[in-house]
Every structure is written in structure tokens, then in C-alpha cells.
Amino acid sequence: MKKVIGFGFLLVMILVIFIQSEMKSSVKELGIEEVLNDSLFDEAATKFGLHAMGGAIEERTLTVRIDTIQHKEDTYNFFKEQLDSSGMAGYKIEVFVDQLDS
């Protein structure tokens, strides 16, 4: 009987550890989604001519696409600041310039 209780306790502990690790990974995924919100997109679109952005969670990369090369450095610094203030300093930021026809 003691072996069954001990085995049950061990099984419950393993499940608790597994559930906690799953919750932590989902919190990290939610973090980048909170940074990539509509108001941030609108603000960057107004300031830098941003027309697309997206995040790759597994690669820890944020990719943004802007209209003109003259805003590339400012765009990088803006998103670096946003990620750093959100506790995601380890993300790589890629800024691509697309010369869009007007």
C-alpha cells in the first residue's frame, strides 16, 4: 500500500513539473504577442513608414518591413527599446527596406 501511495505521489509531482514548464512557454509566446499589438504597429507606421511586422518565437526574431532606407536605424532603435522594456532583450531585430511604388 505504501508503494502505491509513493508511486501516486511521484506521478503527481511529475505532472506538476510538466504543467509548470508548459505554462512558462505559453507565457513567453504571449509576451511577444503583447508587444506586436495594433497600437504599436500604428505608431511605427506613422513614424517610420512601417507596413509589415512579425515575430518568430522559436528563432527569437522580430522582423519589420519599412518603406524607405532613411528610417532603418530609427526603426531598429524603436523596436529594440520596445522589446527591452518588455523584458525581451534577447530578440534579434531584422529591418528590411522595401521600395514601394507610390
Side-chain angles (χ1 to χ4, degrees):
M1 184 69 167
K2 289 182 183 182
K3 289 182 183 180
V4 172
I5 293 173
F7 181 72
F9 180 74
L10 181 63
L11 185 60
V12 168
M13 292 305 294
I14 290 172
L15 286 173
V16 167
I17 291 170
F18 178 74
I19 290 171
Q20 284 180 343
S21 67
E22 288 296 317
M23 288 176 63
K24 286 180 185 176
S25 67
S26 66
V27 167
K28 287 180 185 175
E29 291 174 11
L30 188 60
I32 191 66
E33 291 298 324
E34 289 176 0
V35 173
L36 301 179
N37 59 36
D38 290 337
S39 63
L40 180 67
F41 182 89
D42 293 341
E43 181 181 353
T46 302
K47 287 182 178 180
F48 311 113
L50 179 79
H51 60 91
M53 72 177 178
I57 297 168
E58 295 80 27
E59 292 85 23
R60 299 186 55 81
T61 303
L62 173 66
T63 303
V64 294
R65 301 185 83 80
I66 60 173
D67 296 339
T68 58
I69 197 161
Q70 66 203 78
H71 296 298
K72 187 173 183 175
E73 188 69 29
D74 293 334
T75 303
Y76 176 85
N77 291 335
F78 174 77
F79 281 103
K80 181 73 173 159
E81 202 173 280
Q82 294 295 321
L83 290 174
D84 288 350
S85 67
S86 298
M88 293 178 229
Y91 267 73
K92 178 181 168 189
I93 302 169
E94 298 175 335
V95 180
F96 293 103
V97 178
D98 298 325
Q99 296 296 331
L100 299 176
D101 295 334
S102 299

